[in-house]
Structure formats: C-alpha cells, structure tokens
Amino acid sequence: MAALIYPFTAFNFSVEINRGEDGKPLVNAAFSECDGLEMSMEVKTIREGGSNNRQFRLNGPVSYGQLTLKRGMTENFDLWSWFQDTIAQPNLRADAAIVMLAEDGSTERVRFTLERCLPVKIKSPALNAKDGMIAIEELQIAYESMQFKFIPPKG
C-alpha cells in the first residue's frame, strides 16, 4: 500500500536575505506573511500555413513575481537601511531563500532561492490610535530568477 502524502502547511516558514558581496544575513526577524513566489511563461503561438485546425505552442520568456514580506515593526531597521543603501548604490543586490518547514518547525521541506533581489517598496504600518494593533511593516522585493529544491523527509 502506498504511503499517504500530506500537503505542506503554510504557517512554518523562514526568510533568509543575504545582501551584497559580503553575503552576511540582512534580516534578523521573523516574517508573519510571505507572498509572491511565482513564475510564469509567455507562450508563443505559431500557425502552420494551410492547417486551420492546429497551432503550435512554443516556450517564450519566463517572468517572475514580486515578493511581499510583512513583519511586526521593531527597533531593527535593517530593511529600511537596505532600501536606502540601494538608492545610494544602484547595483547593490541581495540573494534570498524562502524555506518551507515541516510541522516540527525546524526540518526543511522546500527551499525557494531568489537571486539578485532588489527592494522596490517599503511601507510603514498604518497608524491608528484607537485600534491597539501590532505595527506591521511591509517590504516588496523584485527578483531576477527563482529556483526551488524539494528536500525529502529522512527515513
């Protein structure tokens, strides 16, 4: 009998961002949301002369999404500094990894690697004195390529 395959959970994940040539970790905080791991391919359609009932589909260019990260705002302003540094040094890029973790919260299941990341938008939390909500900051990152690796469970 085949083993049951369960879907991954979406609440156990980590974000690793390593900036520039030094490769040192940029972010020292947990994110509450991560969205935008996507890629799409443009399809080119070609019709053969005299064949009205058939078309050929060819692979076209691949494009990638824009990653949106959200976290509770703290005294750590590393994301804001990265954005500012990118303005001063337009060639500054970072590499990032989004890691989906198993239910135990520590075992890697899938690793998405994003290359040549560029922060394109940073947003401070909405301020409202009557809500008493946690201040959530948002960062949007464009990336040039994405790879993924599935890590099978041991045993």
Side-chain angles (χ1 to χ4, degrees):
M1 178 170 217
L4 290 176
I5 299 175
Y6 295 100
F8 297 137
T9 57
F11 60 86
N12 280 331
F13 66 94
S14 68
V15 178
E16 303 166 2
I17 302 175
N18 297 309
R19 171 183 133 158
E21 297 80 30
D22 60 10
K24 292 181 181 175
L26 171 68
V27 176
N28 188 15
F31 290 92
S32 58
E33 289 184 47
C34 174
D35 189 24
L37 291 170
E38 60 184 73
M39 57 170 121
S40 59
M41 182 182 305
E42 184 179 313
V43 176
K44 298 184 181 234
T45 302
I46 297 179
R47 295 197 172 267
E48 185 177 32
S51 178
N52 294 330
N53 63 347
R54 182 178 176 135
Q55 58 189 4
F56 295 96
R57 303 286 185 154
L58 301 176
N59 298 8
V62 174
S63 60
Y64 299 95
Q66 190 164 291
L67 192 69
T68 301
L69 299 169
K70 294 182 181 180
R71 72 176 184 177
M73 191 171 201
T74 66
E75 294 176 6
N76 183 332
F77 287 93
D78 50 5
L79 299 178
W80 294 83
S81 296
W82 179 35
F83 197 96
Q84 292 265 352
D85 292 347
T86 306
I87 294 169
Q89 304 170 49
N91 293 329
L92 181 64
R93 297 292 185 272
D95 292 327
I98 312 303
V99 181
M100 293 180 67
L101 303 168
E103 293 77 21
D104 65 9
S106 62
T107 306
E108 285 191 22
R109 298 308 310 272
V110 180
R111 177 176 282 268
F112 294 92
T113 304
L114 311 177
E115 296 177 349
R116 295 192 42 80
C117 300
L118 177 67
V120 294
K121 181 179 180 181
I122 191 156
K123 183 178 175 183
S124 85
L127 305 175
N128 187 335
K130 67 181 180 178
D131 282 345
M133 302 292 289
I134 292 176
I136 302 293
E137 63 185 351
E138 178 180 317
L139 175 70
Q140 292 181 12
I141 300 173
Y143 50 97
E144 293 182 9
S145 69
M146 177 173 66
Q147 315 287 316
F148 75 92
K149 179 181 177 186
F150 170 68
I151 297 109
K154 295 179 182 175

